[in-house]
Amino acid sequence: MPAVDKLLLEEALQDSPQTRSLLSVFEEDAGTLTDYTNQLLQAMQRVYGAQNEMCLATQQLSKQLLAYEKQNFALGKGDEEVISTLHYFSKVVDELNVLHTELAKQLADTMVLPIIQFREKDLTEVSTLKDLFGLASNETPLFLEHDLSMAKYSRLPKKKENEKVKTDVVKEVAAARRKQHLSSLQYYCALNALQYRKRVAMMEPMIGFAHGQINFFKKGAEMFSQSMDSFLSSVADMVQSIQVELEAEAEKMRVSQQELLSVEESVYAPDFDVAAPQINRNLIQKAGYLNLRNKTGLVTTTWERLYFFTQGGNLMCQPRGAVAGGLIQDLDNCSVMAVDCEDRRYCFQITTPNGKSGIILQAESRKENEEWICAINNISRQIYLTDNPEAVAIKLNQTALQAVTPIMSFGKKPESSCPSQNLRNAETEDDKIVSQVAVRADDADELIAPGTPIQFDIVLPATEFLDQNRGSRRINPFGETEDETFPEAEDSLLQQMFVVRFLGSMAVKTDNTTEVIYEAMRQVLAARAIHNIFRTTESHLMVTSQTLRLIDPQTQVTRANFELTSITQFAAHQENKRLVGFVVRTPESTGGQSLSTYVFESNSEGEKICYAINLGKEIIAVQKDPEALAQLMLSIPLTNDGKYVLLNDQPDDNDGSPNENRGAESEA
């Protein structure tokens, strides 16, 4: 090792300027060493702090690896391999944490502590001796004491020497020089020793650092043996396989994205297929955005765009940002139909089973509108409760499509046994001829004009309620009135009640044949199937010897009234025996007459209603002939109050002729 520069102790007593100059070099070196030592200590403390942080970090990392299993990921299916791998890594990190903790302790003992001791012991000692040397050699009281002693010694006289004074002055000078010499020697020795100690102090901490790291890596190598290598290899293979799957999935998504973006711009339009939309009428569940109509005042409304979906038999709504949806409407036994609302397109209304108007919704396209209507109708019929709801929905809609297909013949029985043929002899003969001829599809246009609108309900006009409040008699297109306006009901020889459901009515072109009634039945039922209108309201059909009235069973208000003389044709369907219809001739203000066919479904057989209507017409025909009236009264049993006993309105499994029914009536 090269020689170390040092101060000569022999020159400490003389304290020459050359010695002082060399001393300043050593002092400058000591000051530089002090600054460097402080910086080096900060760096080593930072390393030690980083090692401590590594201990805490690895400890926290181990806990987080174990916490993965407890996260309850919503899409955590198939994470078993990841969880087991992370558990193993957690154990490895714990073992590494032990090594890091041991390394941190070694760094504190062999690296940081020696440099601190060097700074606190050696550098502090040099600094203290420097202060003492300065007191003895600079402008201080000790230095002034030496100068005063030398001044006294210099003023001693040559001739008159006083031995005692001289001795005292010499002793004083010697004492001052001794103090200065002692402080100089100590200071010089400390500076000379510092040159050696600084080299030791710089290398010793790094030796401790190197030994600590080597020990750490050695123990790590021993700890992570060949088993760890195989484990890391298997994990690397698993990560590689996942990466391959990711690349394949990314490629699929890229191709799919290109295909989705290669479509025409028209698909982004809300109603791009308005001309010929592909409508699925077999849906048993539906979801999508709809506009909900909300009333904000007496005449003001707002529309809110919300996400709707069906769940079981319920219509649910989920606003944006909501965690789950809420119930909007129970769809069981509800009805739905398209409506016009505030000049908006594609609106439909859901009506509750009790007939009250429910919510009004708006779809964004014709396709969405019709699919929502079909889905709600399928759900309202509780198809979703069946074993195979999709198959049931398909079958029902196929039935609806078949209903609108033109048929070549109704396959009816000969109408000679139907009471409706007894209206007029001439008309009866014509009807027999017509009933024996199969009805062709193009003959339907001769009975009913194509595109004739169908009315599915007899609705009380709004003016009726105003008329009721004024107490005046009401006038409406159906001739509705209250029962008390028909005093003939009490004196009528015939009074029979039937429970019926109005299916629809439509204008017809002729009343010369009962075929017009069957064609009207077919079109009404087909229209109900196409538009998914299956809800009907029960009413009471009262047949008297003068009128035929449709009465609301709850309010007892007459909803429609028809004079028997205005009914020109009536018939019951021969296959579906509960269907019955009649043609009404109504005079118009222009002087002409209009013909309308009304179709009903009865709880009992339609033939019974036809029999009652025919009997009422016979009573009207014989009222002016007392003998004929007497014969009619003898042929039909009467009640105690003198009224005719007719068939009851209960369902009858007997599909016999009217004559058989009359026999059953008389026995009743």
Side-chain angles (χ1 to χ4, degrees), residues 356-486:
K356 294 183 179 179
S357 298
I359 58 175
I360 296 179
L361 301 168
Q362 180 189 21
E364 67 178 22
S365 65
R366 175 188 171 190
K367 178 178 181 295
E368 287 292 307
N369 182 46
E370 296 196 18
E371 285 189 352
W372 271 105
I373 292 176
C374 293
I376 293 175
N377 270 314
N378 292 337
I379 294 173
S380 68
R381 288 179 281 178
Q382 299 182 350
I383 295 178
Y384 64 94
L385 298 178
T386 60
D387 295 335
N388 192 352
E390 292 82 1
V392 174
I394 293 173
K395 183 177 180 180
L396 289 176
N397 284 285
Q398 286 178 347
T399 304
L401 292 176
Q402 293 173 359
V404 299
T405 304
I407 57 177
M408 299 303 298
S409 175
F410 284 97
K412 300 181 300 296
K413 297 178 182 179
E415 295 188 7
S416 58
S417 61
C418 179
S420 58
Q421 297 174 1
N422 297 327
L423 179 60
R424 295 188 302 269
N425 293 333
E427 292 178 354
T428 302
E429 295 299 326
D430 293 338
D431 291 342
K432 288 180 179 180
I433 296 174
V434 173
S435 63
Q436 295 172 359
V437 180
V439 179
R440 295 171 303 182
D442 54 356
D443 292 340
D445 296 344
E446 299 178 2
L447 302 176
I448 301 175
T452 301
I454 300 175
Q455 183 171 336
F456 294 109
D457 195 9
I458 297 181
V459 183
L460 288 174
T463 55
E464 173 192 356
F465 300 101
L466 298 177
D467 294 339
Q468 286 180 348
N469 294 334
R470 290 195 298 266
S472 61
R473 183 172 182 177
R474 295 167 289 132
I475 301 175
N476 56 63
F478 298 102
E480 279 187 355
T481 183
E482 296 180 1
D483 290 344
E484 62 184 9
T485 60
F486 292 91

Side-chain angles (χ1 to χ4, degrees), residues 73-88:
F73 291 102
L75 302 177
K77 185 179 180 180
D79 281 352
E80 292 77 10
E81 292 185 0
V82 176
I83 292 174
S84 61
T85 304
L86 292 181
H87 278 200
Y88 188 86

Side-chain angles (χ1 to χ4, degrees), residues 502-557:
F502 179 72
L503 299 181
S505 64
M506 60 189 308
V508 297
K509 298 172 64 175
T510 180
D511 62 349
N512 294 330
T513 174
T514 55
E515 295 296 334
V516 68
I517 298 177
Y518 297 116
E519 178 63 21
M521 289 178 180
R522 187 188 70 81
Q523 293 194 20
V524 167
L525 293 178
R528 280 184 168 268
I530 291 173
H531 297 288
N532 291 320
I533 302 175
F534 299 98
R535 297 293 301 166
T536 56
T537 304
E538 284 193 353
S539 300
H540 289 170
L541 183 65
M542 173 69 76
V543 182
T544 68
S545 58
Q546 298 180 11
T547 62
L548 189 151
R549 287 183 289 150
L550 193 64
I551 302 173
D552 189 327
Q554 296 181 351
T555 62
Q556 296 302 312
V557 172

Side-chain angles (χ1 to χ4, degrees), residues 607-628:
E607 290 290 348
K608 298 179 181 179
I609 299 178
C610 293
Y611 181 84
I613 296 175
N614 183 67
L615 181 59
K617 284 184 167 290
E618 289 181 358
I619 293 175
I620 294 176
V622 301
Q623 274 183 344
K624 297 180 180 180
D625 188 350
E627 294 182 0

Side-chain angles (χ1 to χ4, degrees), residues 47-253:
V47 172
Y48 172 70
Q51 188 60 41
N52 274 334
E53 180 63 27
M54 177 62 76
C55 297
L56 298 176
T58 52
Q59 184 179 5
Q60 182 66 24
L61 175 60
S62 177
K63 292 181 179 179
Q64 287 301 117
L65 293 177
L66 294 176
Y68 181 86
E69 184 180 6
K70 303 177 182 178
Q71 296 307 306
N72 295 325
F73 291 102
L75 302 177
K77 185 179 180 180
D79 281 352
E80 292 77 10
E81 292 185 0
V82 176
I83 292 174
S84 61
T85 304
L86 292 181
H87 278 200
Y88 188 86
F89 272 122
S90 177
K91 294 173 59 178
V92 171
V93 172
D94 284 336
E95 295 175 355
L96 283 174
N97 181 57
V98 174
L99 296 181
H100 281 294
T101 303
E102 184 178 349
L103 176 59
K105 186 176 182 301
Q106 289 181 354
L107 293 179
D109 295 338
T110 61
M111 183 182 70
V112 179
L113 182 59
I115 199 70
I116 291 178
Q117 290 176 344
F118 171 71
R119 187 187 67 170
E120 298 298 332
K121 180 180 179 182
D122 298 332
L123 294 180
T124 302
E125 179 184 5
V126 171
S127 177
T128 302
L129 293 175
K130 180 180 179 182
D131 294 338
L132 294 176
F133 175 76
L135 292 176
S137 59
N138 295 328
E139 299 294 333
T140 59
L142 182 61
F143 179 78
L144 293 177
E145 180 182 354
H146 176 266
D147 287 348
L148 290 175
S149 301
M150 287 299 299
K152 289 180 181 181
Y153 179 78
S154 299
R155 289 196 299 266
L156 289 174
K158 296 180 179 180
K159 295 180 179 180
K160 297 181 178 180
E161 293 183 356
N162 189 342
E163 293 295 333
K164 184 178 180 180
V165 174
K166 181 180 179 181
T167 302
D168 294 337
V169 172
V170 171
K171 289 182 179 179
E172 186 177 347
V173 172
R177 285 185 174 182
R178 184 178 180 81
K179 291 180 181 179
Q180 183 180 358
H181 190 210
L182 179 61
S183 62
S184 298
L185 289 175
Q186 292 177 345
Y187 185 40
Y188 287 4
C189 291
L191 289 175
N192 290 336
L194 184 62
Q195 298 302 311
Y196 295 93
R197 290 173 179 172
K198 74 175 181 180
R199 297 183 180 185
V200 175
M202 296 302 106
M203 292 184 291
E204 185 180 9
M206 294 312 301
I207 293 174
F209 173 78
H211 280 300
Q213 296 291 342
I214 293 172
N215 187 38
F216 173 78
F217 289 120
K218 283 184 177 180
K219 291 186 177 180
E222 294 174 358
M223 182 179 299
F224 304 112
S225 58
Q226 203 170 15
S227 61
M228 186 64 185
D229 293 337
S230 60
F231 170 74
L232 292 178
S233 177
S234 64
V235 173
D237 292 340
M238 183 176 66
V239 172
Q240 183 65 25
S241 64
I242 295 174
Q243 186 67 28
V244 172
E245 293 178 3
L246 173 60
E247 293 176 357
E249 185 64 25
E251 180 63 21
K252 289 181 181 178
M253 290 188 291

